[in-house]
Amino acid sequence: MVVVDSHTEGEPTRVVLEGGPDLGSGPLAERAKRLATEHKDFYRSLVVEPYGQEAMVGALLVEPTNPECVTGVIYFDAAAVIGMCGHGTIGLAATLAHIGKIGIGTHKIETPVGIVEVTLTDSNTVTVQNIDSYRLKKGVTLNVEGVGTVVGDIAYGGNWFFIVNDSPTPVLPSNIRTLTEVGIKVRESIYANGIEGENGGIIDHVVFYGPALTEKGHSRNFVLCPDDAYDRSPCGTGSSARLSCLAADQRLAPGEEIYQESTIGSGYTLSYQFSTSAKVPEGAIVPSITGQAFITKEAKIMTNPADPLRHGVLL
Ligand code: PYC
């Protein structure tokens, strides 16, 4: 497999340029399902040790169905094939620029959940115009064993999120272990209570918000991903979901920019416009996420059939 690695605000992405499985030529959602059900060993091995690294998200390039798109892409982490990935799309745009496939300007990319737009300002700086994002439910109360009462909103930004405005634990790098443990307990409670997104959508991302630690920051977040790793960036799809909540609560006006800090202190500039699509719930927004990605590696991944750990170590 030929891959290019990058990091977006600290969060790693591995773009698979060549050597992925044949997923057919159907809609991307169908191909994503085939990747999830028929090729788990393949995608997992690319993002977990010893061939991958903690927190890595993979981006498998596929032929788009829409000829206006420069590529199609299916994202995955160690635990799941995911609908969309904001940091991954910033990393993908920087990678496509690195290999000479796109230049400065705006380009369309097809994902299993819809078409997104990327605007490359320079080789590292990318703005993603994400798919329509919206809040499904406000103020869902959970009684989480060992944690207490946790109140959050259920919102969609390409993945389903449980968004907690008042983090049960201060969002500080020194609390990453506790934040991870509490996040897992919150997610278990969501599952145990049968709480879902629309059409049975699995709420597999949990985000905690706390006060910003810098002057320019709006707030600081901690994002628990399906593979139990935390997002080193502020999470593009999570930020999209949060923007939909801020819009619904009239805490942020359309076009107003905020700077979202991540747990490690990197960040995204965020804004939104209201969606004009009739296909999404009223109040849905089109989020805009700007961040920077840097190429870290060009590599050929070897999968030696004699290697007992070729499918990755168990997490
Ligand atoms: O940036 O959307 C994102 C994302 C999802 C999972 C990890 N990062």
Side-chain angles (χ1 to χ4, degrees):
M1 257 95 48
V2 177
V3 301
V4 176
D5 291 358
S6 60
H7 79 83
T8 305
E9 307 297 347
E11 178 75 354
T13 304
R14 169 161 285 175
V15 177
V16 184
L17 299 178
E18 275 174 35
D22 180 9
L23 301 172
S25 55
L28 258 65
E30 221 166 72
R31 283 185 253 173
K33 212 175 209 175
R34 280 190 69 182
L35 182 66
T37 53
E38 297 170 22
H39 301 283
K40 182 149 191 185
D41 282 346
F42 161 79
Y43 78 75
R44 219 180 148 269
S45 69
L46 280 165
V47 290
V48 297
E49 294 170 13
Y51 296 91
Q53 70 176 91
E54 203 191 332
M56 187 166 243
V57 168
L60 176 64
L61 296 194
V62 294
E63 268 304 306
T65 62
N66 184 321
E68 285 179 20
C69 295
V70 288
T71 187
V73 62
I74 302 172
Y75 293 110
F76 50 88
D77 73 7
V81 172
I82 57 178
M84 214 325 252
C85 181
H87 95 265
T89 304
I90 294 171
L92 171 57
T95 299
L96 294 175
H98 177 73
I99 62 171
K101 198 161 174 174
I102 63 169
I104 303 298
T106 298
H107 310 274
K108 287 184 164 66
I109 292 173
E110 188 172 339
T111 80
V113 294
I115 291 173
V116 300
E117 266 186 18
V118 290
T119 301
L120 188 74
T121 317
D122 58 46
S123 15
N124 305 110
T125 311
V126 180
T127 297
V128 179
Q129 190 176 296
N130 196 8
I131 56 158
D132 292 320
S133 302
Y134 55 92
R135 179 165 73 187
L136 184 68
K137 273 188 202 144
K138 179 180 164 76
V140 175
T141 300
L142 298 172
N143 290 310
V144 184
E145 215 183 309
V147 178
T149 302
V150 178
V151 181
D153 293 357
I154 296 170
Y156 181 73
N159 298 300
W160 283 100
F161 289 84
F162 191 74
I163 294 185
V164 179
N165 284 325
D166 297 312
S167 177
T169 303
V171 182
L172 297 170
S174 54
N175 285 340
I176 284 169
R177 185 181 292 219
T178 310
L179 286 159
T180 302
E181 285 164 5
V182 173
I184 291 170
K185 283 185 183 159
V186 168
R187 195 179 57 206
E188 278 167 359
S189 171
I190 292 167
Y191 293 162
N193 285 287
I195 299 169
E196 293 178 336
E198 228 166 22
N199 304 318
I202 300 171
I203 304 169
D204 50 8
H205 292 73
V206 175
V207 194
F208 297 139
Y209 282 84
L213 297 185
T214 67
E215 231 167 70
K216 69 172 178 172
H218 176 267
S219 53
R220 186 167 280 235
N221 74 10
F222 172 88
V223 184
L224 180 77
C225 295
D227 59 2
D228 294 349
Y230 75 96
D231 196 330
R232 278 64 169 162
S233 83
C235 188
T237 50
S239 294
S240 300
R242 176 74 175 338
L243 281 169
S244 77
C245 299
L246 294 175
D249 290 334
Q250 298 182 349
R251 289 172 62 197
L252 189 71
E256 198 179 329
E257 279 189 354
I258 55 171
Y259 184 76
Q260 179 62 59
E261 295 174 4
S262 73
T263 308
I264 64 163
S266 59
Y268 289 148
T269 300
L270 306 174
S271 64
Y272 76 90
Q273 295 294 339
F274 282 112
S275 171
T276 52
S277 168
K279 292 189 196 143
V280 286
E282 213 185 308
I285 59 152
V286 181
S288 179
I289 307 138
T290 302
Q292 285 201 311
F294 294 87
I295 306 299
T296 56
K297 196 185 293 161
E298 289 175 339
K300 192 168 174 188
I301 306 280
M302 319 294 287
T303 39
N304 183 346
D307 179 358
L309 292 178
R310 67 190 178 282
H311 300 314
V313 294
L314 286 178
L315 294 175

